[in-house]
Amino acid sequence: YGFNINLLYENNISASFGQNALNLTYSICGVVLLVICALLLVFYGLSGLTASVSLLGSILFTFFLSFLLGFEFSVAAIGAGVVIAILSLFISINYFERVKAEMRKGKDVEKANREGYHKSYLVSLDASLVSLIFSIFCFLIANGSYKTFFGFIMVGSFFTFLITDYLDKWMNYWLVKDGANSKLPFFSFRPLRAEKKNPKFASADKKHFSHKMLIILPAVAALC
């Protein structure tokens, strides 16, 4: 053949760079998930803990089921995991904000939780269906790594809705079951509701600081 075939087997290059890059990717994903979970706890108290459990459960179950279906682990799979995480966060935050809106109307935490869930259900279902239908269409016409990307989203859209929506509902039901006699911080709006009888008017500086924090905290989360 005109070349020394032994050279092909003697000239080896180790794959240490790839392994280091993979470990670094795992570390970064873990740190980002921890930051997100911490922010959920800050904004929503114990309900943020239920959202964190739903978020992690959705991602792990999506990856596990996708691997069983034969999808490969690649950069495309990690990108799809980010999309699944965003969908899970959207479902949880949409639910919690609806509950907080009901509590602003003066309803007790148990009734606000029930009505907030019902009002958030169709929006969460709509977002999940749009993601599912779009990913199915793209999966059918995609090739290569794009097929992996949309395949993960296709699996995750369906199961993320089931896990996040119903697991949040079940866990928060037990959290607020005896909410009238409990001091546990179910939702971040709970302390504000207790001040309704004796309203305190914040100074202009304090309001300005609050508005700044509403911008700074999401910006930090987005940067992470």
Side-chain angles (χ1 to χ4, degrees):
Y1 295 101
F3 61 89
N4 183 6
I5 197 170
N6 290 326
L7 180 64
L8 297 177
Y9 297 94
E10 293 172 355
N11 188 17
N12 296 325
I13 298 175
S14 65
S16 59
F17 174 77
Q19 186 62 43
N20 292 337
L22 193 60
N23 292 335
L24 183 60
T25 301
Y26 291 149
S27 300
I28 292 173
C29 291
V31 170
V32 171
L33 285 175
L34 286 175
V35 170
I36 291 173
C37 293
L39 289 174
L40 286 171
L41 286 170
V42 169
F43 281 104
Y44 299 108
L46 288 181
S47 293
L49 181 61
T50 70
S52 301
V53 172
S54 300
L55 170 65
L56 297 176
S58 299
I59 295 174
L60 291 176
F61 189 81
T62 297
F63 273 72
F64 175 73
L65 190 58
S66 297
F67 293 149
L68 287 182
L69 293 174
F71 293 108
E72 64 180 2
F73 181 77
S74 62
V75 176
I78 295 174
V82 173
V83 176
I84 296 305
I86 293 173
L87 179 62
S88 178
L89 285 172
F90 172 78
I91 294 173
S92 295
I93 292 173
N94 174 51
Y95 167 34
F96 295 154
E97 289 300 321
R98 298 297 179 111
V99 175
K100 289 170 65 176
E102 293 300 315
M103 294 181 71
R104 288 190 188 98
K105 298 176 183 178
K107 297 178 182 178
D108 63 88
V109 66
E110 188 173 359
K111 187 174 182 180
N113 179 58
R114 185 169 59 253
E115 294 193 11
Y117 172 79
H118 290 309
K119 289 184 177 181
S120 68
Y121 182 82
L122 287 180
V123 178
S124 300
L125 179 63
D126 177 52
S128 301
L129 281 176
V130 169
S131 178
L132 176 63
I133 294 171
F134 179 76
S135 60
I136 291 174
F137 173 76
C138 292
F139 177 78
L140 294 175
I141 64 174
N143 291 313
S145 60
Y146 293 104
K147 212 171 188 68
T148 300
F149 177 76
F150 290 112
F152 268 81
I153 297 178
M154 180 175 61
V155 174
S157 298
F158 179 74
F159 288 100
T160 296
F161 172 75
L162 294 180
I163 293 173
T164 305
D165 193 75
Y166 292 105
L167 189 59
D168 274 354
K169 175 189 176 183
W170 178 77
M171 288 191 290
N172 281 285
Y173 168 78
W174 288 104
L175 279 177
V176 305
K177 189 175 181 181
D178 300 318
N181 302 317
S182 177
K183 296 181 180 179
L184 291 174
F186 301 123
F187 296 94
S188 62
F189 191 74
R190 187 174 179 82
L192 298 178
R193 179 172 168 266
E195 296 175 1
K196 283 189 69 176
K197 295 181 180 178
N198 299 307
K200 296 179 181 179
F201 298 97
S203 64
D205 291 339
K206 190 174 181 181
K207 287 182 178 179
H208 184 63
F209 177 75
S210 299
H211 289 315
K212 276 187 174 180
M213 293 304 293
L214 288 176
I215 297 174
I216 292 172
L217 288 176
V220 172
L223 182 61
C224 290

Coordinates of all heavy atoms in Angstrom, one line a residue, residues 11 20 22 25 28 31 35 74 116 168 199 207 214:
N11 N 1.4 5.4 17.0 CA 1.3 6.8 17.2 C 0.0 7.2 17.8 O -1.0 7.5 17.2 CB 1.5 7.6 15.8 CG 1.6 9.1 16.0 OD1 1.9 9.5 17.1 ND2 1.4 9.8 14.9
N20 N -11.4 15.8 30.5 CA -11.4 17.0 31.3 C -12.6 17.9 30.9 O -13.2 18.5 31.8 CB -10.1 17.8 31.2 CG -8.9 17.0 31.8 OD1 -9.1 16.1 32.6 ND2 -7.7 17.3 31.3
L22 N -15.4 17.1 29.6 CA -16.7 16.5 30.1 C -16.9 16.7 31.6 O -18.0 17.0 32.0 CB -16.7 15.0 29.8 CG -18.0 14.2 29.9 CD1 -19.0 14.8 28.9 CD2 -17.8 12.7 29.6
T25 N -17.9 20.2 32.2 CA -19.3 20.4 31.8 C -20.2 19.9 32.9 O -21.2 20.6 33.3 CB -19.6 19.6 30.5 OG1 -18.8 20.1 29.5 CG2 -21.1 19.9 30.1
I28 N -20.0 22.5 35.8 CA -20.7 23.8 35.5 C -22.3 23.6 35.6 O -23.0 24.4 36.2 CB -20.4 24.3 34.1 CG1 -18.9 24.7 34.1 CG2 -21.3 25.4 33.7 CD1 -18.4 25.1 32.8
V31 N -23.3 23.4 39.3 CA -23.3 24.7 39.9 C -24.5 25.5 39.5 O -25.1 26.1 40.4 CB -21.9 25.4 39.6 CG1 -22.0 26.9 40.1 CG2 -20.8 24.7 40.3
V35 N -27.5 27.0 41.9 CA -27.8 28.4 42.0 C -29.3 28.6 41.7 O -30.0 29.4 42.4 CB -27.0 29.2 40.9 CG1 -27.5 30.7 40.8 CG2 -25.5 29.2 41.3
S74 N -24.5 13.8 24.1 CA -23.6 14.7 23.3 C -23.9 16.1 23.8 O -24.7 16.4 24.7 CB -23.9 14.5 21.8 OG -25.2 14.9 21.5
G116 N -54.9 28.9 42.4 CA -53.8 29.3 41.6 C -53.3 28.1 40.7 O -52.9 28.4 39.6
D168 N -45.5 19.1 41.8 CA -45.6 20.4 42.5 C -47.0 20.5 43.2 O -47.1 20.9 44.4 CB -45.5 21.6 41.6 CG -44.0 22.0 41.4 OD1 -43.2 21.4 42.1 OD2 -43.8 22.8 40.5
P199 N -50.7 48.3 57.3 CA -49.8 48.6 56.2 C -48.7 49.6 56.5 O -48.9 50.5 57.3 CB -50.8 49.2 55.1 CG -51.9 49.7 55.9 CD -52.0 48.8 57.1
K207 N -38.1 51.6 47.9 CA -38.7 51.1 46.7 C -37.8 51.0 45.6 O -37.8 50.1 44.8 CB -39.9 52.1 46.4 CG -41.1 51.9 47.3 CD -42.2 52.9 46.9 CE -43.4 52.7 47.8 NZ -44.5 53.6 47.4
L214 N -35.1 43.4 41.7 CA -35.9 42.7 40.8 C -35.2 42.5 39.5 O -35.5 41.6 38.7 CB -37.3 43.4 40.6 CG -38.2 43.3 41.8 CD1 -39.5 44.1 41.5 CD2 -38.6 41.8 42.1

